[in-house]
Amino acid sequence: MITIIDYGVGNIFAFQNVYKRLSIPTRIAKGIEDLTSVEKLILPGVGSFDYAMTRLNESGMRERLDDLVLNEKKPVIGICVGMQMMSNGSEEGKLNGLRWIDGQVKRFDESTIQQITKLPHMGWNDVKPTTSHPLFEGLEQDAIFYFLHSYYFHCHLAENSIAESDYGIRFTAAINRENIYGIQFHPEKSHSYGERLLHNFAKI
């Protein structure tokens, strides 16, 4: 069972549709009463860092999520801004992040970007695993995913970065520490590649 956190930010039903095709059950958590018997968690996110953090903090689920992830060690995957929220904080805002993985979210330096339209980084891009990892099983070669972001996660510990992409610089596209995972791209918009990754997460 995959529990998808609904705090008013992110395309919840797109994830449900993917897992329905995979015959993997899901449920939506809108409040702390929905966070019982949790097996795995998805933390989606779109928009600005501070807005997403504010909505999560106001949802009533923040303390329980910390307990599930940090103490009970339930597998969790953050998507896009959901991944960025796992950091210490972001150059985009003033609020603290969840501090689940040591790192800082930074804005791309537009001077390094060759494309005419510099930001956001939008569209399909290669993702290269930097280590053999079950999240990218079957995706080690020629996997492409859909991105939409202007900020990226800078890991303070290199071993927490498990995949990279390129947009002016090589940047971290996926992170992992123990039971905590994050991806900068949108698997729910990435066709068969994204479906495979979400299936891999369900098997972890």
Side-chain angles (χ1 to χ4, degrees):
M1 174 75 74
I2 309 289
T3 299
I4 306 168
I5 305 302
D6 182 3
Y7 58 107
V9 178
N11 191 351
I12 306 302
F13 298 110
F15 293 102
Q16 275 200 314
N17 289 337
V18 171
Y19 279 118
K20 185 177 181 180
R21 291 196 297 272
L22 294 170
S23 299
I24 295 172
T26 62
R27 65 175 179 177
I28 294 175
K30 291 179 175 287
I32 191 171
E33 66 278 2
D34 301 317
L35 294 176
T36 58
S37 303
V38 168
E39 297 174 6
K40 292 183 174 70
L41 294 155
I42 291 179
L43 180 65
V46 295
S48 70
F49 183 90
D50 276 7
Y51 177 74
M53 281 304 309
T54 298
R55 292 299 301 266
L56 183 62
N57 289 336
E58 292 176 349
S59 71
M61 293 185 281
R62 168 70 186 277
E63 185 175 346
R64 177 59 178 152
L65 285 174
D66 280 339
D67 187 50
L68 286 167
V69 172
L70 300 178
N71 297 324
E72 297 186 26
K73 301 296 182 181
K74 301 296 184 181
V76 59
I77 188 166
I79 312 293
C80 194
V81 175
M83 164 179 159
Q84 295 179 6
M85 292 162 66
M86 294 174 166
S87 70
N88 301 333
S90 173
E91 290 181 352
E92 186 181 18
K94 297 180 179 179
L95 296 180
N96 289 330
L98 294 166
R99 298 181 180 272
W100 289 351
I101 292 185
D102 191 17
Q104 191 74 15
V105 176
K106 299 185 176 184
R107 182 179 171 88
F108 282 112
D109 179 356
E110 294 182 69
S111 69
T112 68
I113 300 170
Q114 301 303 312
Q115 285 82 349
I116 295 174
T117 303
K118 295 181 180 295
L119 291 177
H121 172 211
M122 180 171 63
W124 294 86
N125 207 340
D126 295 336
V127 171
K128 302 293 186 183
T130 56
T131 183
S132 178
H133 197 284
L135 193 64
F136 287 94
E137 181 183 350
L139 299 167
E140 295 86 357
Q141 301 294 327
D142 303 320
I144 58 174
F145 294 91
Y146 185 83
F147 288 83
L148 180 58
H149 64 123
S150 297
Y151 295 80
Y152 65 95
F153 195 116
H154 173 71
C155 291
H156 290 165
L157 298 175
E159 60 263 33
N160 293 154
S161 177
I162 60 170
E164 293 181 340
S165 190
D166 192 304
Y167 193 65
I169 60 169
R170 297 295 293 175
F171 70 91
T172 293
I175 56 176
N176 172 230
R177 182 178 72 83
E178 297 178 347
N179 57 304
I180 304 166
Y181 305 83
I183 52 177
Q184 183 58 66
F185 46 86
H186 287 274
E188 78 281 12
K189 298 180 180 180
S190 298
H191 305 320
S192 61
Y193 302 107
E195 187 171 290
R196 178 60 185 263
L197 186 141
L198 289 173
H199 190 209
N200 288 345
F201 175 68
K203 295 188 297 181
I204 288 174

